């Protein structure tokens, strides 16, 4: 039983990070009907930006704030203006292809600049271990889990409780009506991209100490987050959290009780089952998209 | 003054080269200097290893030339970059052979030498490599020579240490499920079969694995006296962190990679206490190695890694073989290298007493190191396999 709990806890910490990246998927989908296959690289890039800031002597906190600002400009505004806006009118496929291309470019760009080797990344949480009923828990695990869940719930609250958040949702549901009601549609869409970029930086902060900063760290993360978003429901922010946690925990259990070789297959299996039997995702709602 | 003299010599050499080429007497000219080619990874994934190896070779060449060369002939070395790409390494090896070199140093990557050594074999040119994959010397190639251990030579030494010095009865093994990891698992199991140590659990992990919670849990459940961890650098670092996280209190043993500086950097405090067998380390308590370390640091302004030692000692191995053969005949020198024993007292450049077997594998002393405060420290010297067997 303690073994199971140990695996569960460890899985929850990993899963909460998948959830953060998955939330980005669902947000962009809701706001602009786009799928960003460079989501993993959107996490990788800030990790290196923070490392770069720290190499100039900035402490982790300041590096984080600087990187958030940079990410909002580059991964938010720049991505929207440079990739999504010009391509959106041709439908979703060109954007999907463009983001796949973007992810390759980002990976290789970072590899050229920072070498193909992994770089250590400082841990946000102190190296503390607790022993509760035979289960060893680290402060890092608990902290990561708590912080990620808090960020997901805060984003959710922002979207449903604030005027801006509701305006963003209105734009997502029906752009024309929102415009008629006097909502600044482009600005709301930009907010979504900015939030996505910020989430990516937060995910980078939490995930990099374990993943290590490496040019291809986003590859697996992006795929897992995509699965998590589909499993939880692509049009529900809370679904991203549920999906992420399911994938994280299932992976760890599979590695221990089946074989580590099938670890990655588990997420894919759940993904296929969900697509077959509940295509809108566990928490998602059926939607008819405007054509 | 020395510099002008040097340029002067070089100019003379160039003139000699042009003259001899013009006369079509390349063969005759080849006797004037000993040409060696450095074919190493200077960019790409192997850049660190390749650069160290190259610097080691060049340092040895400089020293040998300063002390009069080999059989009175100076060594002339050229360097080219494989970009860590086996295809390019093969092409460069071919090119070096076309240039009529006497010996080739590199590549360091096993994947590259496996491909490029077919060329040096065909041309019957001795080829020294830093590669450590067991398969390199398993193919009956009479012209490939190692500058370091393989899994097959390192594991019996490690197994002996685990049994006799650590007094371990049962051992859990965590390995990475690729050629490197599976080769290591097979070698350690084979080596442990000669000792009373039992393998309590074989735990497989995936290349690129992030979360080692399940693997560590299984190691703990196996209740083994110690853990043998055999994986690549990043995975080793993550594994060490997870072991620390789950409070694993038993000894953690590995081979070379586990206590490498890269793993220590990535794993941080979690690396402290890990023990590993290393074939070569600049921290070794050995006067020849100390001297090498100082000379290397003076020349290149940084501390060499084990690849620098491989390149450096490799050139001196060649020197010893040529001197023993007594003539500049690449084929005869390759024959001499098989079965050659070099003592470090007579030839300090080989750093340690070393013997080469009929396959091109070498045997010599090695070291056990422990990570203390983020640094490797040598805790024991392991005798050469041959020496230990003789006892």
């Amino acid at each position: 039983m303690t073994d199971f709990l140990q695996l569960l806890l460890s899985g929850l910490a990993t899963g909460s990070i998948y959830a953060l990246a998955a939330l980005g998927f669902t947000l962009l989908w809701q706001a602009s009907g786009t799928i960003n296959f460079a989501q993993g690289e959107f996490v990788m890039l800030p990790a290196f930006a923070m490392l770069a800031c720290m190499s100039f002597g900035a402490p982790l906190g300041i590096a984080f704030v600087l990187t958030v600002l940079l990410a909002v400009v580059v991964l938010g505004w720049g991505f929207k203006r440079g990739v999504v806006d010009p391509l959106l009118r041709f439908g979703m496929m060109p954007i999907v292809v463009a983001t796949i291309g973007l992810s390759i470019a980002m990976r290789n760009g970072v590899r050229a600049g920072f070498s193909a080797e992994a770089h250590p990344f400082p841990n946000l949480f102190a190296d503390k271990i607790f022993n509760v009923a035979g289960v060893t828990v680290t402060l890092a695990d608990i902290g990561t889990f708590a912080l990620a869940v808090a960020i997901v719930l805060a984003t959710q609250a922002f979207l449903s409780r604030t005027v801006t958040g509701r305006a963003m949702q209105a734009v997502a549901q029906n752009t024309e009506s929102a415009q008629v009601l006097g909502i600044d549609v482009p600005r709301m869409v930009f907010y979504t991209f900015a939030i996505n970029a910020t989430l990516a930086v937060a995910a980078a902060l939490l995930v990099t100490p374990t993943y290590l900063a490496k040019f291809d760290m986003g590859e697996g993360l992006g795929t897992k987050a995509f699965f998590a978003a589909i499993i939880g429901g692509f049009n529900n922010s809370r679904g991203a959290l549920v999906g992420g946690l399911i994938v994280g925990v299932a992976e760890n259990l599979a590695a221990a009780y089946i074989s580590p070789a099938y670890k990655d297959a588990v997420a894919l299996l759940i993904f296929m089952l969900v697509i077959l039997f509940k295509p809108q995702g566990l928490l998602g709602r059926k939607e008819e998209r405007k054509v | 003054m020395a510099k002008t003299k040097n340029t002067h010599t070089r100019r003379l050499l160039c003139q000699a080269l042009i003259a001899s080429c013009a006369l079509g007497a390349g063969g005759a000219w080849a006797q004037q200097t000993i040409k060696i080619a450095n074919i190493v990874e200077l960019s790409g994934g192997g850049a660190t290893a390749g650069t160290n190896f190259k610097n080691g070779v060049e340092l040895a060449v400089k020293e040998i030339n300063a002390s009069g060369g080999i059989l009175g002939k100076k060594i002339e070395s050229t360097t080219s970059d494989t970009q860590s790409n086996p295809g390019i390494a093969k092409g460069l090896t071919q090119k070096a052979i076309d240039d009529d070199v006497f010996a080739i140093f590199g590549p360091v990557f096993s994947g590259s030498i496996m491909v490029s050594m077919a060329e040096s074999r065909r041309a019957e040119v001795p080829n020294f490599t830093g590669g450590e994959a067991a398969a390199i010397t398993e193919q009956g190639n009479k012209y490939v020579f190692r500058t370091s251990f393989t899994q097959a030579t390192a594991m019996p030494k490690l197994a002996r240490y685990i049994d006799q010095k650590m007094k371990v009865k049962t051992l859990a093994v965590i390995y990475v499920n690729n050629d490197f990891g599976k080769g290591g698992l097979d070698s350690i199991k084979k080596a442990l079969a000669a000792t009373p140590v039992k393998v309590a659990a074989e735990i497989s992990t995936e290349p690129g694995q992030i979360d080692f919670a399940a693997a560590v849990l299984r190691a703990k459940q196996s209740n083994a006296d110690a853990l043998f961890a055999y994986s690549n650098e990043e995975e080793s670092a993550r594994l060490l962190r997870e072991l620390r996280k789950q409070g694993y209190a038993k000894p953690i043993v590995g081979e070379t990679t586990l206590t490498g500086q890269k793993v220590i950097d990535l794993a941080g405090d979690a690396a402290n206490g890990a023990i590993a067998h290393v074939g070569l380390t600049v921290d070794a308590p050995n006067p020849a190695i100390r001297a090498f370390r100082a000379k290397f640091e003076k020349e290149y302004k940084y501390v060499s890694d084990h690849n620098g030692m491989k390149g450096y000692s490799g050139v001196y191995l060649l020197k010893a073989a040529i001197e023993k053969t007594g003539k500049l005949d690449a084929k005869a020198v390759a024959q001499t290298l098989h079965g050659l024993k070099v003592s470090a007292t007579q030839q300090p450049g080989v750093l340690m007493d070393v013997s080469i077997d009929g396959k091109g594998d070498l045997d010599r002393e090695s070291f056990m190191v422990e990570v203390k405060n983020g640094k490797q420290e040598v805790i024991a010297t392991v005798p050469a396999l041959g020496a230990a067997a003789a006892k």
Side-chain angles (χ1 to χ4, degrees), chain B residues 36-362:
Chain B
I36 63 168
N38 244 323
I39 298 171
V40 285
E41 294 77 0
L42 298 181
S43 59
T48 318
T51 308
N52 273 291
F53 190 85
K54 180 209 80 164
N55 286 346
V57 169
E58 286 181 347
L59 180 63
V61 167
K62 202 176 150 191
E63 282 175 20
I64 293 172
N65 284 344
S67 62
I70 307 174
L71 301 179
K73 305 268 193 314
K74 295 272 159 100
I75 309 176
E76 185 189 345
S77 83
T78 53
T79 301
S80 37
D81 177 15
T82 69
Q83 298 166 31
S84 308
N85 177 334
I88 298 178
K90 187 179 166 82
L92 289 172
T93 305
Q94 182 58 55
K95 186 172 169 287
I97 288 161
D98 291 344
D99 289 344
D100 212 11
V101 296
F102 188 85
I104 294 170
F105 285 83
V108 182
F109 267 22
S110 296
S112 292
I113 182 70
M114 290 287 279
V115 176
S116 71
M117 69 185 190
E119 300 300 325
S120 45
R121 180 189 200 172
R122 194 174 309 141
E124 300 181 329
V125 168
N127 195 344
F128 292 82
T129 179
E132 297 184 359
I136 297 173
T137 48
E138 303 282 317
Q139 300 173 9
N141 184 339
K142 291 280 174 209
Y143 293 89
V144 71
F145 300 95
R146 282 186 204 279
T147 50
S148 58
F149 287 127
T150 69
Q151 289 169 340
T153 35
M155 293 302 182
K157 293 177 138 205
L158 184 59
R160 201 172 291 158
Y161 186 85
I162 290 173
D163 173 34
Q164 293 169 3
K165 293 285 175 342
M166 294 174 68
K167 310 273 182 220
V168 162
K169 295 275 171 285
T170 52
L171 187 71
V173 181
I174 294 184
Y175 67 100
V176 57
N177 191 14
N178 57 18
D179 285 347
F180 166 73
K182 284 188 286 192
L185 175 73
D186 290 344
S187 311
I188 190 79
K189 270 167 59 185
K190 212 166 130 194
L192 285 174
T195 69
V197 183
K198 294 269 171 297
V199 175
E202 289 172 27
I203 304 157
S204 142
T205 60
E206 288 304 298
Q209 186 163 323
I210 307 290
D211 193 332
F212 284 88
V216 170
L217 201 63
R218 285 185 57 196
K220 283 169 92 177
Q221 283 169 343
S222 77
N223 252 329
D225 298 338
L227 170 70
F228 177 61
Y230 198 72
S231 189
N232 303 103
E233 288 177 336
E234 288 157 37
E235 290 84 346
S236 294
R238 294 195 190 107
L239 174 62
L240 285 171
R241 283 180 169 224
E242 183 67 34
L243 284 162
R244 163 61 61 92
K245 195 167 124 181
Q246 293 199 26
Y248 190 83
K250 290 168 180 166
I252 304 164
V253 205
E255 217 289 305
T256 310
T257 324
L258 188 70
T259 54
Q261 196 56 46
K262 186 79 199 169
V263 174
I264 297 176
D265 289 346
L266 292 175
D269 286 347
N272 287 337
I275 303 171
H277 170 264
V278 294
L280 289 166
T281 166
V282 284
D283 301 319
N286 169 323
I289 295 177
R290 289 250 161 89
F292 161 77
R293 180 188 168 134
K295 281 184 280 189
F296 191 99
E297 199 172 354
K298 187 165 170 252
E299 183 80 20
Y300 302 108
K301 312 282 177 272
Y302 73 94
V303 176
S304 168
D305 73 355
H306 60 289
N307 286 304
M309 303 173 75
K310 290 185 199 172
Y312 182 84
S313 58
V315 177
Y316 277 99
L317 268 182
L318 177 69
K319 177 172 183 265
I322 295 177
E323 283 170 354
K324 194 176 174 201
T325 313
K327 57 179 177 181
L328 281 175
D329 175 347
K331 204 172 164 182
V333 167
Q335 265 167 16
T336 312
L337 275 164
H338 289 119
L340 182 72
K341 282 192 170 56
V342 188
S343 117
T345 35
Q346 284 155 15
Q347 193 74 265
V350 295
L351 305 177
M352 284 180 276
D353 292 353
V354 59
S355 60
I356 303 176
D357 70 6
K359 291 195 298 181
D361 285 331
L362 45 79

Side-chain angles (χ1 to χ4, degrees), chain A residues 68-138:
Chain A
V68 166
L69 294 177
L70 193 70
V72 166
V73 176
V74 178
L75 301 179
W77 185 81
F79 174 60
K80 178 174 177 292
R81 292 303 294 271
V83 178
V84 178
D85 285 354
L87 292 176
L88 194 55
R89 59 204 156 97
F90 301 113
M92 200 175 69
M93 261 338 262
I95 295 195
V96 168
V97 175
T99 54
I100 292 175
L102 188 65
S103 73
I104 297 173
M106 284 173 165
R107 270 205 296 274
N108 287 301
V110 168
R111 174 156 68 173
F114 286 85
S115 89
E117 281 186 27
H119 303 266
F121 195 89
N123 212 322
L124 185 60
F125 304 99
D127 201 6
K128 261 213 178 96
I129 302 172
F130 308 100
N131 218 319
V132 189
V135 181
T136 20
V137 202
T138 55

